[in-house]
Amino acid sequence: MEENIGISFNNLLTEVLSKDLCNRCGGCVSFCSANGINALEMGEDGYPRYSDEEKCLEGGICYLICPQTKKLEDELKQKFDAKFPIGNWVDVFSARSTNEDVKKVATDGGVVTYLLSYLLDSKKIDGAIVSKRIGACGKGPIIATSKEELIGTAGSYFSEALHLDKLGTEYASCFPVIKVIQESAKKNIKKLALVGTPCQIKAIRKMQLMNIVPADMVIFTIGLFCLQCFTLEDLAKKEFAKIHNINMDDIVKVNIKDKLILTMKSGICVQVPLDIIEKIARPACIACDDFANDYADISVGGIGSDEGFTTVLIRNSLGREVYSDALYKKYIENKNCKCMNDKDESNYLIDIIKEFAIRKKARAEKRLNSLIK
Ligand SMILES: Cc1cc2nc3c(=O)[nH]c(=O)nc-3n(C[C@H](O)[C@H](O)[C@H](O)COP(=O)(O)OP(=O)(O)OC[C@H]3O[C@@H](n4cnc5c(N)ncnc54)[C@H](O)[C@@H]3O)c2cc1C
Ligand code: SF4
Ligand code: SF4
């Protein structure tokens, strides 16, 4: 890493933060705190900042792991065989959880929650980093270690969650190494699954590429499809919300497919076109080119699937192994048949994922080009 000496968080400040490209994944802070450097922190505004610049070692790792920097991109693409436009994939399904409690609260088919339950029950992981809702529109990352905790975190809330920062804090609270081992052993958290947006997964993959902690604890990743992040508070300010008289306090469920679908207390579903949502997306999201979560083991989303089902893109042999076993043990079920997927439906699902991935890449290119001019 010698060539990175002299690179520091200051480079992120000029190349990422000052250009409004920071997606607040928390990766830089996570690395810094997990390794006991403690030069960085997440500020009250949700963006990373120096807490103590004097402590900065100028090793450049925070810069390299940032999902918005390009230095490790080729290596990552090569390692994951990430072909245009949706990365590597081996299979695709429309599926749902077999658990009625999960189906009631899940965003789509509850596949994420029940795959994680399977991983916990079969002791393949000790915990899962998921996002817990706080209040009407808030969220916060937690490490769920039981089915009950997982069910409490099902459902999607569309504002950013600092998963990686949480991971760093978990790990950093117990450095140096012996303390880390003692503490994580005490908590029995050695093997983690991570649910995250593409930017969150990409940061962890970059850490893994460089063999740095705490990324080694993440042994399985479930990546959410992601067109953009936004807040319902911002939507409330838009003309659309006023015209359609949408009271944010009446929203009981939020889902995003080829439209944003808001389910109101009355049971009415309001469909918000994506061009409205694009207007409230964070600037960083407009410059982000990964829709299908190219570096996850399994990617999931709602697009293409019927109501109550999750679209599941299996990316590698680990993803296939986990999915097949969860299917066999009846944690999840495929839509059309229990073992093989319907060919026409597979093609349809792949085509729609590609359509959104290409749309997002074109948007990112336009935004990044506008920054160069
Ligand atoms: C910001 C965001 C944007 C999305 N955009 C799209 C899209 O454009 N098209 C599409 O098809 N699908 C999108 N999804 C994915 C979709 O909404 C569902 O999360 C996915 O289909 C899984 O559904 P499920 O019922 O299987 O998951 P569930 O069983 O309901 O579990 C959802 C899991 O996601 C976690 N989670 C919730 N919010 C966040 C967050 N902000 N960050 C990280 N993890 C979180 C929860 O903790 C839970 O573990 C998006 C999700 C998010 C969070
Ligand atoms: S690593 Fe994440 S939080 Fe840090 S600067 Fe990059 S995008 Fe922002
Ligand atoms: S679009 Fe999604 S993956 Fe990309 S920066 Fe925004 S939240 Fe992250």
Side-chain angles (χ1 to χ4, degrees):
M1 290 298 157
E2 251 170 48
E3 58 181 295
N4 301 310
I5 292 186
I7 297 181
S8 70
F9 182 68
N10 277 317
N11 296 72
L12 284 180
L13 284 173
T14 46
E15 289 175 40
V16 175
L17 282 124
S18 72
K19 292 182 179 163
D20 236 350
L21 294 177
C22 171
N23 54 40
R24 300 155 78 175
C25 73
C28 51
V29 179
S30 174
F31 165 75
C32 195
S33 55
N35 286 277
I37 304 165
N38 290 322
L40 302 179
E41 64 182 7
M42 293 309 278
E44 291 84 35
D45 59 0
Y47 287 92
R49 65 183 182 198
Y50 271 122
S51 53
D52 189 346
E53 194 171 345
E54 297 279 291
K55 289 184 179 167
C56 179
L57 302 178
E58 301 195 353
I61 306 288
C62 63
Y63 177 86
L64 291 177
I65 62 177
C66 173
Q68 300 293 65
T69 61
K70 302 289 174 211
K71 254 195 151 183
L72 292 181
E73 207 84 341
D74 287 346
E75 220 177 312
L76 209 56
K77 276 195 181 129
Q78 213 176 348
K79 184 174 174 198
F80 287 86
D81 196 16
K83 300 178 271 289
F84 178 88
I86 58 170
N88 190 42
W89 61 278
V90 292
D91 234 328
V92 66
F93 300 99
S94 217
R96 67 182 172 192
S97 158
T98 52
N99 181 295
E100 291 308 317
D101 292 338
V102 172
K103 283 195 256 184
K104 269 184 224 148
V105 293
T107 313
D108 292 306
V111 168
V112 174
T113 302
Y114 235 43
L115 270 182
L116 294 174
S117 285
Y118 154 76
L119 287 167
L120 276 178
D121 288 349
S122 56
K123 307 220 180 314
K124 291 186 192 299
I125 57 168
D126 304 318
I129 305 175
V130 288
S131 189
K132 189 176 168 64
R133 84 195 60 136
I134 305 161
C137 302
K139 40 72 211 112
I142 65 152
I143 296 187
T145 53
S146 69
K147 192 174 288 184
E148 293 66 36
E149 271 181 311
L150 283 174
I151 294 177
T153 66
S156 292
Y157 279 76
F158 297 96
S159 53
E160 60 272 37
L162 302 175
H163 279 149
L164 300 176
D165 189 43
K166 171 74 177 175
L167 181 62
T169 316
E170 279 292 312
Y171 214 73
S173 58
C174 28
F175 69 90
V177 178
I178 291 175
K179 260 190 167 181
V180 170
I181 296 164
Q182 280 173 341
E183 198 59 36
S184 48
K186 208 160 63 192
K187 288 187 186 168
N188 235 3
I189 301 173
K190 290 178 204 139
K191 294 176 288 174
L192 288 168
L194 169 72
V195 181
T197 50
C199 53
Q200 292 168 322
I201 301 287
K202 198 192 265 188
I204 209 80
R205 289 308 197 201
K206 286 186 172 184
M207 287 187 193
Q208 288 174 340
L209 205 60
M210 292 184 284
N211 290 324
I212 50 179
V213 295
D216 55 335
M217 289 165 70
V218 175
I219 58 154
F220 193 72
T221 54
I222 301 182
L224 305 169
F225 293 166
C226 184
L227 207 50
Q228 62 237 337
C229 229
F230 56 90
T231 64
L232 292 174
E233 287 93 324
D234 284 338
L235 179 62
K237 292 176 204 147
K238 285 278 153 203
E239 206 50 34
F240 182 92
K242 289 173 194 149
I243 295 168
H244 293 271
N245 209 9
I246 305 171
N247 182 353
M248 297 297 143
D249 295 337
D250 287 345
I251 297 171
V252 290
K253 186 175 173 183
V254 182
N255 196 358
I256 189 163
K257 292 185 178 231
D258 55 347
K259 295 184 185 65
L260 172 71
I261 305 156
L262 303 174
T263 308
M264 313 304 286
K265 269 185 202 158
S266 62
I268 289 173
C269 286
V270 181
Q271 301 205 347
V272 188
L274 286 183
D275 59 320
I276 305 275
I277 302 306
E278 275 184 338
K279 292 196 178 101
I280 53 169
R282 289 176 310 167
C285 296
I286 300 295
C288 165
D289 69 356
D290 186 354
F291 170 75
N293 225 315
D294 295 1
Y295 305 113
D297 294 307
I298 288 183
S299 297
V300 293
I303 51 155
S305 284
D306 290 347
E307 175 69 27
F309 285 86
T310 309
T311 301
V312 187
L313 193 62
I314 316 281
R315 294 197 170 278
N316 53 30
S317 51
L318 177 62
R320 195 199 280 282
E321 186 192 312
V322 167
Y323 190 81
S324 306
D325 208 32
L327 200 63
Y328 177 70
K329 296 200 168 123
K330 300 195 174 9
Y331 280 80
I332 48 174
E333 58 190 7
N334 281 345
K335 188 178 154 217
N336 286 332
C337 86
K338 298 273 181 263
C339 45
M340 293 292 291
N341 202 23
D342 179 86
K343 195 76 202 136
D344 288 343
E345 179 149 348
S346 299
N347 290 340
Y348 168 72
L349 290 174
I350 290 297
D351 284 350
I352 194 159
I353 300 167
K354 283 186 177 168
E355 182 190 322
F356 274 76
I358 290 168
R359 174 188 172 139
K360 189 170 175 186
K361 285 185 195 309
R363 186 178 76 182
E365 202 180 326
K366 197 169 154 200
R367 167 89 178 118
L368 290 172
N369 282 342
S370 76
L371 289 175
I372 297 165
K373 280 170 201 161

